[in-house]
Each structure stands twice: as structure tokens, then as C-alpha cells.
Amino acid sequence: MASQRRAEDLARKVIRQSVLDGRAYHVPDAAGLVKLDAMENPYPWPETLRGAWLDALRGISLNRYPDAEAAELKAKLRAAFSIPAGAGLLLGNGSDEIIQMLALAAARPGAALLAPEPSFSMYKVIADVAGLRYVGVPLRAPDFALDRGAMLAAIEAEKPALVFLAWPNNPSGNLFAEADIEAILEAAPGAVVVDEAYHAFAGRSFLARLDAHPNLIVMRTLSKLGMAGLRLGFLVAAPEWVKQFEKLRLPYNIGTLTQASVGFFLDHGKVFDEQAARIRAERERVFGRLQALPGLRAWPSAANFILARPTDLSAAMVHGELLKRGLLIKSLHGAHPMLAECLRVTIGSPEENDALLSALAAILRG
Ligand SMILES: *Cc1c(COP(=O)(O)O)cnc(C)c1O
């Protein structure tokens, strides 16, 4: 139709080349499937907690804007996650939004965002859209460790405004050596973001090192802990950083229902700590079983997922056969050369994990 062509011509004229060249984030339809693809917590809230939560929501006035500062929620976050009193705290609608705020803030002409790869895909996606030069530095094969020499050389050559280190790394699941991160903090001329999205499953943090490194920014999210549907991420850094990033935060970015629900969640944090402990124990059990499967290589993980590679079958074949059996995992084939024929499985409930393990064993047996 002529009007459609006209709209397309107009969009091509108006929209920036980096956006025209990009692709919208694709989320596969998971209806009716066991969902082991997105690092969600498999456990629902206990029934009694659901009732109390709904009671807590009853008094909320949705005709009013949210608390723009989310003051009550911030106080609860500070207490729950032992955020140092002198540190600044910034909230995002998921930590994806925080990555975007940082990228927009740092996007001077020629500025670079540097990250090891393979790592979290949004670092590059957001750098491209924000107009930052993306610099990827390969991790070491076969264990996905940081290549300290290559990282320091790239930092020296590219002078990145932002360095992103997912710790543990997604999709490889490993914790980079602390000494390597320290060396990067010392060498980087800009900010170094330690993205602790999987903190609940790794139990290690750079939060206590904020005083030692004025260029350190620690990022967390509640998504992997059991609140993916609420969208809340946060950043902790020196107040001088947060003061600047606040200028890019859209007013009311954290909705009233999210503020109230996360607050309620933090009041019952023990439930979620117990769930994280169960997920960690399941991770060890699943890893042991995966390692024992002939025809599969699995990498150890400090997160709530495991990277694996079938040695004799293609990732697409295994992914497709699992789908036929009602199990959705993630194929990483094509995302990066180091991830050729790789699959990523999220740790689910014991029943879900057993279903995955027996299906995998059958598929690999052929
Ligand atoms: C999942 C993930 C995020 C994003 O989480 P949000 O749901 O946007 O808070 C950030 N970093 C890493 C490394 C992740 O795996």
C-alpha cells in the first residue's frame, strides 16, 4: 500500500542509521513449555505470602504518580543488601535501563564502551544505540577467564569511558579472577561497572571495595532473585556518579506497584534467600549430572545457569529435540565464535531439572 511505503520512507529518513541497522530484542514464545532459557527463579511465592502481598497492595492509589525518589524502597534496599551508608544509590526499571542511562551519559563523540566477550549481549546493543564505540576483548579459551594482558592493552589503546564486567559472567557462568578485575580498575581511565546480576548465586561482591576505587560502579538486579516481572535494578557508586546519572533517569521510572512489591519482598527476604540456596544446590547437582553425560561438555558455574556444548550433535538439533519434549533452553550458537554449538540451561525446580536431564540423556544417546 502506498501509505505503508510512505511511512517506511519517512522512518528511513527520520531514524538514525544505528537504529535502522539494529534488531528488536527477540523473546521466543514459551507458552506451554518448561521455561529454562531466561535465568528466572522457578519458585512461585508461597500462598500465604501472596495473600499478604495482595493485602499490602490494596491501599495503593494508582491515580497518583509513584514516589519519584522511591525513598522507602531505597532505605529497604540499603538495609537488605548492606549498601555502604556513604554510597550513592540509583534505581532502574531493570538493570538494562541502568546500562542505558550510563551509556547515554558517557556518549561523547568517540567515547568507547569496552567489555570482554562473549558476555551479556545488551552491553553491545545499548552501546550501538547510544552512539558509543563498542570494543569487545575476547575471553580466554577454554575457561572464559579474562585475558588480563589483552584487556589492559585494549584499555590503554581505546581509553574506554565505560568498562562492563559481568561477575559472574553471562553466558559462561564463571567468576573472573578478582586480581584481574583489580588490575582493570587500576588501569581504566573511566568507570568500571561490575555487573553483579547473579550475586545471589555467587555470594561474592565488589561492594566493599567502593571506597578503594572511585571509578568502581556496582550493579545489581532483583530479576534473577525471583522478581523478573517487577523490573528493578540498582547501581551503587560514589554519590558524585549517581548525581550525574540521576539527570538521565526518567521521572517515575519505578512504578508504584514495583516499589510496593519489592518493598514487601525485601521484608520477607528470607524466603528468597532460601530459594537461592536451593537453586545453588540444584546447580551443583545438575552440573554433576551434565558432566557425567557422554557427548556433552559442561562448564562450572557460579550463577543460576550452566553453559554446555554437545560434542557430537549440533546445538540446533539438541535445542529442537528438547522443544519437542516441551523444554525451552537457549541456543547460543551464532552469538559469538567461542559459543559455537553452545547451549545455556537455566536451573529450574528439581522436577524441571530432572525432566531436562532425562530428555538430554535420551537425545545424546541418539
Ligand atoms: C539478566 C542480566 C541483566 C539484566 O537484568 P534486568 O532484568 O534488566 O535487571 C544484567 N546483566 C546481566 C549480566 C544479566 O545476565
Side-chain angles (χ1 to χ4, degrees):
M1 268 173 16
S3 68
Q4 268 178 16
R5 258 201 316 278
R6 173 91 181 112
E8 191 183 334
D9 288 347
L10 273 176
R12 295 205 157 271
K13 250 192 255 165
V14 167
I15 292 172
R16 285 182 290 133
Q17 195 59 44
S18 60
V19 178
L20 291 171
D21 292 345
R23 268 212 240 154
Y25 191 84
H26 172 69
V27 178
D29 181 15
L33 299 172
V34 175
K35 205 165 175 304
L36 300 175
D37 67 326
M39 282 78 97
E40 291 144 326
N41 175 338
Y43 299 111
W45 292 15
E47 211 38 61
T48 49
L49 265 193
R50 292 179 79 89
W53 165 59
L54 290 172
D55 286 344
L57 295 186
R58 233 178 283 279
I60 281 175
S61 305
L62 288 179
N63 55 318
R64 302 294 176 195
Y65 279 109
D67 173 4
E69 300 301 322
E72 202 179 319
L73 175 58
K74 278 188 181 166
K76 288 186 179 184
L77 286 166
R78 281 185 179 277
F81 295 105
S82 309
I83 296 170
L89 174 61
L90 176 82
L91 305 189
N93 196 279
S95 44
D96 286 348
E97 193 189 46
I98 293 180
I99 301 169
Q100 188 180 56
M101 286 185 233
L102 268 53
L104 289 172
R108 298 171 155 199
L113 182 157
L114 184 146
E117 50 176 44
S119 189
F120 184 46
S121 61
M122 292 308 290
Y123 302 150
K124 178 174 190 307
V125 170
I126 291 172
D128 288 348
V129 170
L132 282 168
R133 208 157 39 84
Y134 171 78
V135 179
V137 180
L139 291 167
R140 282 198 332 233
D143 59 354
F144 297 97
L146 279 174
D147 184 335
R148 190 196 291 203
M151 285 293 286
L152 295 182
I155 287 169
E156 169 76 25
E158 309 284 352
K159 313 246 179 317
L162 299 170
V163 175
F164 276 86
L165 301 171
W167 201 65
N169 190 42
N170 173 8
S172 52
N174 58 312
L175 283 162
F176 301 137
E178 290 182 26
D180 289 343
I181 300 180
E182 283 286 339
I184 289 165
L185 280 162
E186 290 298 327
V192 177
V193 182
V194 177
D195 180 349
E196 299 184 343
Y198 299 95
H199 170 260
F201 314 103
R204 313 242 304 266
S205 177
F206 267 68
L207 260 190
R209 305 184 198 215
L210 283 171
D211 276 347
H213 301 287
N215 60 342
L216 170 62
I217 292 173
V218 174
M219 202 169 65
R220 297 260 186 98
T221 174
L222 298 198
S223 295
K224 316 296 156 64
L225 195 52
M227 319 221 85
L230 283 174
R231 311 300 298 132
L232 189 85
F234 63 91
L235 167 160
V236 186
E240 292 72 18
W241 285 113
V242 172
K243 186 178 147 193
Q244 300 303 327
F245 299 143
E246 277 289 351
K247 300 174 191 173
L248 290 108
R249 187 174 66 82
L250 294 177
Y252 313 117
N253 64 327
I254 312 298
T256 306
L257 292 176
T258 296
Q259 291 191 33
S261 301
V262 174
F264 177 88
F265 151 75
L266 293 174
D267 290 340
H268 301 86
K270 238 186 103 211
V271 173
F272 300 92
D273 291 344
E274 283 162 12
Q275 291 181 346
R278 272 149 77 189
I279 293 167
R280 286 197 302 270
E282 273 295 288
R283 175 188 71 206
E284 295 312 307
R285 182 180 77 91
V286 172
F287 177 64
R289 294 276 302 274
L290 289 176
Q291 257 194 326
L293 282 180
L296 192 78
R297 167 173 193 170
W299 279 265
S301 169
N304 64 340
F305 57 85
I306 294 174
L307 183 73
R309 176 189 283 146
T311 52
D312 308 320
L313 300 175
S314 73
M317 193 267 187
V318 174
H319 183 264
E321 286 297 316
L322 287 171
L323 263 186
K324 284 188 203 159
R325 292 162 169 82
L327 296 153
L328 178 64
I329 66 166
K330 174 95 171 171
S331 171
L332 295 163
H333 184 72
H336 187 271
M338 286 178 77
L339 298 172
E341 305 301 345
C342 279
L343 301 164
R344 189 189 62 201
V345 301
T346 299
I347 302 301
S349 66
E351 299 73 33
E352 292 171 336
N353 299 333
D354 284 340
L356 174 76
L357 289 165
S358 57
L360 260 181
I363 293 163
L364 293 171
R365 240 183 277 122

